[in-house]
Amino acid sequence: MTIYKAPLDDQRFALFDVLGAESILTKLEGGEGHTRDLLDAVIEEAGRLSEALLAPFNASGDAEGCVYDKVAQTVTTPKGFKEAFKAFAEGGWTGLTQAEHFGGQGLPNTVGTATTEIFQSGNLSWSLYPLLSEGACHAMELHGTQEQQDTYLKPIVEGRWTGTMCLTEPQAGSDLGLLKTRADAGENGSWKITGTKIFISAGEHDLAENIIHLVLARLPDAPAGSRGISMFIVPKFKVNADGSLGARNAVAAGAIEHKMGLKGSATCVMNFDAAEGYLIGQPHKGLAAMFTMMNAARLGVGVQGLALSERALQNSLNYARERLQGRSLSGVKFPEKPADNLLVQPDVRRMLLTQRAIVEGCRTLLLYTSLQTDVEARGADEATRKTASDLVAFLIPIAKGVVTELAQESTKEALQVYGGHGYIGENGVEQFVRDARIITLYEGTTGIQAADLLGRKILQLQGAGFKVFAKEIQAFCQQHAQDPAMAGLIGPLASYTKEWADLTLSLAQRVMASPEELGAAANDYLYYSGYITLAYMWARSVAALANSSQQEAFKQAKRDTAKFYFARILPRCLLHKAAIDAGVETLPAIG
Amino acid sequence: MTIYKAPLDDQRFALFDVLGAESILTKLEGGEGHTRDLLDAVIEEAGRLSEALLAPFNASGDAEGCVYDKVAQTVTTPKGFKEAFKAFAEGGWTGLTQAEHFGGQGLPNTVGTATTEIFQSGNLSWSLYPLLSEGACHAMELHGTQEQQDTYLKPIVEGRWTGTMCLTEPQAGSDLGLLKTRADAGENGSWKITGTKIFISAGEHDLAENIIHLVLARLPDAPAGSRGISMFIVPKFKVNADGSLGARNAVAAGAIEHKMGLKGSATCVMNFDAAEGYLIGQPHKGLAAMFTMMNAARLGVGVQGLALSERALQNSLNYARERLQGRSLSGVKFPEKPADNLLVQPDVRRMLLTQRAIVEGCRTLLLYTSLQTDVEARGADEATRKTASDLVAFLIPIAKGVVTELAQESTKEALQVYGGHGYIGENGVEQFVRDARIITLYEGTTGIQAADLLGRKILQLQGAGFKVFAKEIQAFCQQHAQDPAMAGLIGPLASYTKEWADLTLSLAQRVMASPEELGAAANDYLYYSGYITLAYMWARSVAALANSSQQEAFKQAKRDTAKFYFARILPRCLLHKAAIDAGVETLPAIG
């Protein structure tokens, strides 16, 4: 079956050597204790847990799937899931990045991203259960009353309960303004929630005692469209004043979806039948409240792309090393064996280097972005926090949109390395491809990310984050302009960054004159931006080698992969620029 | 569930308006009767059969899969498969392109490609059964004795039996020189075949009375490696002198594979336990004999890519038309409805036009290549046949390698149009993605196609086919240089073709100096060649509009899609050229 070993060395390199996470995090408010030693211990422990309790149940969880009982309306998760969740909760992982006054560990998002990668690599389906809880906690932390937090948030942080986010309805997906679920006045200021939600991850399961749904619905006096949506807390079991579980609420899973992959994750149709709910946050401001969770959720899905790509890479590299087939074009390399291994083939190395360039570049980007979310939350002063916030806003659609799309390519190449054997279930790699296919769809499709980047982050916010980021890259290029170790990297990076700035400006003007140009350019602008962003991450990685204590083989692999990235991936910008320049006139009406 | 309607209009346009199939085919030896009317009637009838008997059982076949009985060592195919095969055989489709003296219809490969597309769109898993038979027939036609042809070929042509090709072994996939299955002397000049073959499509099933395996194995005196392989006929049931079925032979399915997709196609592990077999062709020349089937088999897999892409496009276009979500950026388009449909989004049109550009471009390419195989077989004179043969040799790796890779993209974009709904099994589009994933792997991976194109077709054969093809494109460009309808197409096509020729020459020199450069450039050279080849097909399509009797809406869609292709797909050549130029130094050893 498949192997998995947590990539601790590369995480450490990215965190400490490339990004200087220790010096940044320890200077944040309340971050004194967040030293390299502590973070190191956390990721090591995450690695042990994932390797022992999650990774072994990934393939079996795919084969078993979740089982829905139509009569009882219950969901049974696959073998191993319950035990892993128990160990996870007992280890304090459910509250890793939650505030200490809610019972959490108060650790930075940055280390949360690193450990989330490890857990998701181990078992993506399983990891959806804690991930959704995290989003629900975040919403209650920001918008809940003290009482709501005490009642609903703390048990989730403790890992006794889990949470969901109930947005989508059959007729309302990307366009939440169309949603119909309604809230009618109930007793004691509560609301009666009625409607059907679909695609609800972790909507029903057997891992925890209670499930707290955060539900978008319309109050009786709600205006039409997206400005008439409010958020409600709807618990599966009502909660007594002493915190114990009360009566079953009128919310239940009506079915689970049969999906292409992610089969261990219960994707539920949730029926609300005048279920008792409690308004959280302001009336009609539910969408805005939901959006405050969006950055974390989207970053988390980006991490899923990294996690699947990492595990697929480990396996395909292993396969290429062990599979004996054919001979090297430049002469036999394993004369004592019936054939050479696949690594002697340059085209197989191309597939592996493509994966490695994606995996390690995306890891650096996701950790970089996570660091900025920590600075945004706990930076020393308002200006620092504002700058970080601008950067985060700008980078999220790239970290979600581009990383998840590249994960499609990366897992595809991993499967391709196996030849026909990749298509067979028992070799395990095809599951990574099936599991990966969801991530460009949920938490906003790639098209939504692209529109967010160009429409909101560049145009509406006047490119605030882009300006900060481009300036940072330019400063980096100046700093390393004469560094011989950076030859071949700084030149292209600097000129692409210049072109990016020019293109962004001219595109913004074009879109303001003709709004359809936004949709015509957004996808290619997303990719274009992503490839330059990853080029910067690769250049940073090479620059960091000088003062890194990693082994020489590790360093050589970094240099090789960076060179590969600049020579064979970064030129994709040529294509995307051509497509951007082509404009909306090349996308005429379709009958 | 999913829809399917045979794309007869576009097939007719490609066949008759673009490629002039009627005037070419009727001039071939024995082709007097192959008129437009006849071919038209054939594809119409194929459409009826596929829509009625194949398409409705595609999703259910995926859900049911093939069922293997361990005790009886039998395979039961999904519901509907047997009935469809019976109707197919009765309709004479099993012998459509087989010679009349074997009981076939003697129709051209070109119409076989068109009908195969239609059947594969209907149900790819099902279509594997007749496809494998076709390959076996072809081998027996070329290499079998009169007696072997009478005994084994005719019943397959009649659709009473089916055939297989047994090549792969666990340790021998792309490198057949490693295979171990052996032939020991048996009675009356027969051989006893012993060994295990894997990935044998249609190796066991319930559609026909007998299965004729063509098996690669080593004679006792065989030299090592690929020069010691012979081909044998091994029937499931031995055949009596009168043609009736005799005793069961010692060959049986030991298992079937559980695959990512193509679940209705039985992929068998075949155990040969001193099974009685008969040498076909010359001793030790089995690999060469197998390769004579390769062009047809690879073209057939290219057609699979087209077939899946076509059906995925039909469904995603239909979904985009019906799904109401969001509003147009340039103002409401459906004021009477709660939202506009997805077609108002330029980015959705980009996904649909990408698919259409791939589908229609690839269809033209596959029919063009098929026409050349007909000319190769039955052209008026030796020189004509030689030119066609060179063209076929050159185009096959493109028609297989590029079309199957583009089918990955095309089916992926189709799923993406559905958003999260695309990930749900019951919407059907995810099956196309899973089914498509095999086609870049079997009949030679994309890496094998790339090496074949650059190593064999360009270097070993000194670019014979390339020269013919490039000259044809240049002549076409000259002919249409002043045609206003071709503005924006001829310029880029001519200059890319020039660059292609220069690049091919310089690359050939580079590879001769350093053989590793072959593997370093082959994949990108394959794509680069493919995109220019498709540009030529699109330019031909636009040129053909002037004298076409198709409706104006059809013509406008062609012009729009060609423009899209040249503006947004063809520039991918920029990237692939950069990667080719980067050379093997960017693909260093991996530890």
Side-chain angles (χ1 to χ4, degrees), chain A residues 279-330:
Chain A
L279 183 70
I280 170 170
Q282 298 304 306
H284 316 318
K285 301 284 184 199
L287 214 54
M290 203 55 94
F291 270 106
T292 58
M293 294 187 281
M294 215 48 111
N295 278 349
R298 290 182 171 174
L299 192 64
V301 176
V303 177
Q304 296 178 2
L306 167 62
L308 289 169
S309 299
E310 167 67 35
R311 190 163 180 182
L313 168 60
Q314 288 188 20
N315 282 277
S316 63
L317 176 55
N318 193 49
Y319 185 83
R321 204 176 267 137
E322 294 186 353
R323 175 75 172 170
L324 303 177
Q325 199 81 174
R327 291 291 188 187
S328 167
L329 288 167
S330 56

Side-chain angles (χ1 to χ4, degrees), chain A residues 190-495:
Chain A
S190 73
W191 296 91
K192 291 186 288 188
I193 311 295
T194 303
T196 297
K197 296 287 181 177
I198 62 169
F199 300 169
I200 308 307
S201 297
E204 177 60 46
H205 59 78
D206 56 1
L207 303 181
E209 301 158 15
N210 201 5
I211 300 172
I212 308 307
H213 305 286
L214 294 186
V215 186
L216 294 187
R218 294 187 184 281
L219 288 165
D221 63 341
S226 60
R227 283 173 197 161
I229 296 169
S230 306
M231 185 156 65
F232 299 85
I233 293 173
V234 181
K236 174 179 170 184
F237 288 99
K238 296 179 201 171
V239 182
N240 299 323
D242 64 355
S244 61
L245 297 188
R248 187 75 161 77
N249 205 350
V251 51
I256 61 173
E257 304 288 355
H258 298 280
K259 310 184 300 290
M260 183 183 189
L262 215 69
K263 292 177 190 257
S265 165
T267 305
C268 304
V269 176
M270 298 303 297
N271 296 322
F272 296 83
D273 188 14
E276 192 167 302
Y278 320 104
L279 183 70
I280 170 170
Q282 298 304 306
H284 316 318
K285 301 284 184 199
L287 214 54
M290 203 55 94
F291 270 106
T292 58
M293 294 187 281
M294 215 48 111
N295 278 349
R298 290 182 171 174
L299 192 64
V301 176
V303 177
Q304 296 178 2
L306 167 62
L308 289 169
S309 299
E310 167 67 35
R311 190 163 180 182
L313 168 60
Q314 288 188 20
N315 282 277
S316 63
L317 176 55
N318 193 49
Y319 185 83
R321 204 176 267 137
E322 294 186 353
R323 175 75 172 170
L324 303 177
Q325 199 81 174
R327 291 291 188 187
S328 167
L329 288 167
S330 56
V332 172
K333 296 289 181 288
F334 295 73
E336 75 291 357
K337 293 194 171 156
D340 293 343
N341 73 11
L342 294 183
L343 286 176
V344 308
Q345 307 293 343
D347 193 52
V348 172
R349 296 202 299 274
R350 177 189 60 76
M351 294 191 270
L352 292 165
L353 284 161
T354 300
Q355 293 178 64
R356 190 180 271 173
I358 290 171
V359 165
E360 298 179 7
C362 289
R363 177 175 292 125
T364 313
L365 168 61
L366 292 164
L367 291 171
Y368 174 95
T369 310
S370 302
L371 260 177
Q372 298 302 328
T373 69
D374 285 320
V375 176
E376 177 186 16
R378 299 182 289 114
D381 54 72
E382 177 65 30
T384 307
R385 291 194 295 271
K386 170 73 169 67
T387 303
S389 173
D390 288 345
L391 264 179
V392 169
F394 173 69
L395 289 172
I396 287 291
I398 297 174
K400 200 282 183 182
V402 177
V403 174
T404 60
E405 287 288 348
L406 290 180
Q408 310 304 309
E409 175 178 356
S410 199
T411 52
K412 172 187 179 287
E413 292 288 20
L415 192 156
Q416 190 72 19
V417 169
Y418 282 72
H421 296 269
Y423 202 63
I424 307 300
E426 68 176 293
N427 292 317
V429 70
E430 61 89 32
Q431 185 192 343
F432 304 138
V433 175
R434 285 186 292 104
D435 284 357
R437 193 62 194 85
I438 186 62
I439 63 180
T440 69
L441 303 168
Y442 65 14
E443 295 298 341
T445 62
T446 305
I448 297 284
Q449 306 304 322
D452 180 53
L453 178 66
L454 185 55
R456 190 168 155 72
K457 307 307 167 56
I458 294 294
L459 290 173
Q460 278 185 40
L461 304 179
Q462 298 181 321
F466 173 70
K467 287 173 196 160
V468 174
F469 194 58
K471 203 174 283 179
E472 181 180 312
I473 301 178
Q474 280 154 357
F476 173 84
C477 288
Q478 276 170 7
Q479 188 191 337
H480 292 277
Q482 307 304 324
D483 184 348
M486 301 295 287
L489 306 183
I490 295 299
L493 179 60
S495 69

